């Protein structure tokens, strides 16, 4: 299950990372002639779609099944990305990215629910981090594609590669099982037990067929009920602030480093190092979280990330800068991944995808704000270092917010 969800997260990571990888090419496009604010709005179009998709598809998967939503998300964002590659105008490009974002927004809550359900309880943070490393490696793949193709062939071929997962859909459809807990709620007890036995999953108690008749809004209201409110507020604040950092840097890091005096090639590779380090760092943080607790581990990671981001405000030798960028990736993307793993384990199985979907959808406002903040600072002509000061502050606030979540046995 972890490997199958890894493929979905890899495809999603490429889809999101490709915009940052081609942004220098988009800004230099002689036909479109984008301003920094217009480029920031294009970046935010996918994030608006993610806002919609997380609310809609996360809740829907608790009602109609994880497998169906997982496959539908991949089909939607891959097809929309392929269309974005041939868009003749910025407006059509933005519309394609918005549709793509709907599929991307649904992928994380659905994959989170699947991996959390199928993983042994004592390995959930590790399994989740391994699954989510696909997202970071997908961003790294987008950076590599930009590095090798952008200068010679322009941005369109780099974006078109994002449609490749459509070829894998039949294989994923054949291999991916349905959630046993969902099958129990749907009244398919024999099938649920067969899947649970095949994968060594313990069926949760209290899963009744009548549960499937509950309206979707009743699940959404439960995450705000007494006993869940403080945890929900802590998770929402942490993910919002974390997304400002993650998506702000994912979108603008190559362009910011380019403005700081680095050549085009190293500027694009900074994004790759940022993503690759976060994929490895996520697994390491997952091991630490399983041993020492998720809250303290996440807070420590965000604090380290804030320090690394502050260091980027100074010009270092190229080798040192790569190391600092790697630390920033671990202290932002890897930390944010662990927040979602913590969230998915915190709530019961029948509420899991809804809780993750609603939290991440709310956080998309932070994901929208991050690129727009970078765009606004660029438009105002403020010093490059200002970007890093702002993103470091957001990382520190994330560290404080996660400590507000009450301790609870997963």
């Amino acid at each position: 299950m972890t490997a199958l969800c890894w493929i979905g997260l890899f495809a999603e990571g490429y889809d999101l990372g490709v915009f940052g990888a081609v942004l220098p090419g988009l800004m230099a496009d002689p036909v479109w002639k984008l301003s920094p604010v217009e480029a920031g709005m294009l970046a935010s179009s996918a994030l608006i779609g993610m806002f919609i998709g997380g609310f809609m598809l996360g809740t829907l998967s608790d009602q109609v099944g994880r497998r169906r939503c997982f496959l539908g998300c991949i089909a939607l964002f891959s097809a929309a990305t392929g269309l974005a590659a041939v868009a003749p105008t910025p407006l059509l490009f933005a519309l394609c990215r918005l549709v793509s974002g709907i599929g991307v927004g649904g992928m994380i809550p659905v994959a989170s629910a699947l991996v959390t359900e199928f993983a042994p309880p004592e390995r959930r943070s590790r399994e989740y981090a391994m699954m989510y490393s696909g997202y970071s490696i997908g961003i790294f793949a987008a950076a590599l594609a930009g590095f090798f193709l952008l200068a010679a062939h322009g941005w369109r071929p780099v974006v078109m590669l994002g449609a490749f997962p459509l070829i894998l859909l039949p294989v994923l459809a054949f291999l991916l099982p349905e959630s046993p807990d969902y099958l129990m709620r749907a009244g398919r007890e024999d099938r649920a037990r067969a899947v649970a036995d095949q994968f060594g999953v313990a069926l949760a108690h209290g899963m009744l067929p009548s549960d499937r008749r509950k309206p979707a809004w009743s699940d959404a209201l439960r995450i705000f009920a007494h006993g869940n409110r403080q945890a929900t507020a802590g998770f929402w604040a942490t993910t919002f602030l974390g997304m400002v950092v993650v998506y702000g840097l994912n979108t603008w890091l190559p362009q910011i480093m380019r403005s700081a005096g680095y050549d085009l090639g190293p500027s694009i590779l900074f994004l790759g190092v940022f993503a690759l380090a976060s994929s490895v760092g996520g697994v390491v943080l997952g091991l630490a979280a399983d041993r020492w607790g998720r809250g303290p581990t996440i807070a420590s990671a965000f604090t380290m990330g804030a320090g690394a981001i502050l260091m980027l405000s100074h010009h270092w030798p190229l080798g040192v800068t790569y190391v600092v960028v790697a630390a920033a990736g671990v202290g932002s993307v890897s930390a944010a991944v662990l927040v979602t793993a913590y969230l998915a384990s915190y709530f019961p199985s029948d509420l899991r995808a809804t809780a993750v979907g609603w939290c991440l959808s709310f956080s998309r406002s932070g994901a929208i704000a991050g690129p727009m903040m970078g765009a606004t600072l660029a438009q105002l002509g403020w010093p490059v270092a200002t970007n890093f000061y702002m993103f470091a502050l957001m990382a520190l606030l994330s560290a404080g917010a996660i400590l507000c979540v009450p301790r609870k046995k997963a």
Side-chain angles (χ1 to χ4, degrees):
M1 177 57 66
T2 300
L4 295 175
C5 290
W6 187 96
I7 294 172
L9 269 291
F10 174 88
E12 176 191 335
Y14 188 96
D15 185 273
L16 285 178
V18 74
F19 186 86
V22 302
L23 183 56
L26 283 170
M27 297 286 290
D29 191 303
V31 178
W32 287 10
K33 299 178 181 178
L34 298 175
S35 69
V37 170
E38 289 170 334
M41 292 176 67
L42 289 184
S44 296
S45 60
L47 304 175
I48 293 171
M50 291 169 69
F51 180 87
I52 298 168
F55 277 122
M56 182 175 65
L57 296 176
T59 303
L60 186 64
S61 75
D62 281 335
Q63 303 293 317
V64 304
R66 320 277 196 225
R67 180 180 180 275
R68 193 178 304 169
C69 287
F70 183 93
L71 297 172
C73 287
I74 293 179
L76 184 61
F77 69 67
S78 299
T81 299
L83 292 174
V86 296
T89 66
L91 177 60
L92 290 175
F93 181 91
L95 289 174
C96 291
R97 293 289 291 170
L98 187 147
V99 174
S100 170
I102 294 175
V104 168
M107 173 59 67
I108 295 178
V110 175
S112 299
L114 282 170
V115 168
T116 301
E117 180 176 347
F118 280 84
E122 69 278 6
R123 289 179 52 87
R124 279 179 179 165
S125 292
R126 280 170 279 180
E127 293 286 333
Y128 190 92
M130 290 171 64
M131 179 269 294
Y132 217 107
S133 70
Y135 170 83
S136 298
I137 294 175
I139 296 176
F140 179 68
L144 281 182
F147 179 77
F148 287 111
L149 298 176
L150 185 62
H153 303 285
W155 60 268
R156 293 185 186 273
V158 184
V159 176
M160 180 58 74
L161 287 175
F164 180 79
L166 290 173
I167 300 173
L168 301 178
L169 269 181
V171 177
L172 292 173
F174 177 76
L175 295 175
L176 188 71
E178 183 52 273
S179 156
D181 286 348
Y182 167 75
L183 292 171
M184 286 290 286
R185 294 197 305 274
R188 298 168 62 187
E189 184 174 346
D190 290 343
R191 179 58 183 160
R193 295 191 183 282
V195 173
D197 290 342
Q198 179 184 355
F199 290 90
V201 177
L203 288 172
H205 296 291
M207 291 296 172
L208 302 176
S210 59
D211 289 345
R212 65 185 173 142
R213 292 193 291 269
K214 295 185 304 180
W217 281 101
S218 68
D219 282 344
L221 292 175
R222 285 170 59 197
I223 66 178
F224 300 105
H226 179 71
N228 288 333
R229 289 177 197 150
Q230 184 177 343
T232 296
F235 282 123
W236 283 34
T238 305
T239 53
F240 171 85
L241 295 164
M243 291 301 102
V244 172
V245 180
V246 170
Y247 285 93
L249 291 177
N250 270 344
T251 300
W252 284 101
L253 185 60
Q255 188 66 24
I256 290 172
M257 302 307 277
R258 187 96 164 95
S259 301
Y262 293 94
D263 293 335
L264 177 62
S267 296
I268 296 175
L269 280 185
F270 284 135
L271 179 62
V273 171
F274 181 81
L276 188 60
S278 66
S279 68
V280 177
V283 177
V284 174
L285 291 182
L287 290 168
D290 283 335
R291 183 168 183 178
W292 292 299
R294 295 181 178 92
T297 302
I298 293 168
S300 299
F302 273 126
T303 302
M304 180 195 73
I309 293 168
L310 277 178
M311 288 183 68
L312 288 175
S313 62
H314 298 278
H315 200 289
W316 305 93
L318 187 59
V320 175
T321 305
Y322 279 128
V323 173
V324 175
V325 167
V330 175
S332 56
V333 179
S334 300
V337 168
L338 206 57
V339 173
T340 312
Y342 188 9
L343 170 62
S345 296
Y346 198 92
F347 290 90
S349 175
D350 62 323
L351 191 59
R352 187 169 293 140
T354 298
V356 174
W358 277 64
C359 179
L360 292 184
S361 289
F362 171 77
S363 75
R364 299 309 174 199
S365 55
I368 294 167
M372 290 305 297
M373 183 170 70
T376 301
L377 293 175
Q379 187 77 10
L380 293 173
W382 287 14
V384 171
T386 308
N387 291 274
F388 299 117
Y389 298 153
M390 297 299 294
F391 290 137
L393 175 62
M394 298 297 106
L396 276 179
L397 292 175
S398 296
I402 195 61
L403 296 178
C404 296
V405 176
R407 299 292 296 271
K408 179 180 178 180
K409 186 175 180 179

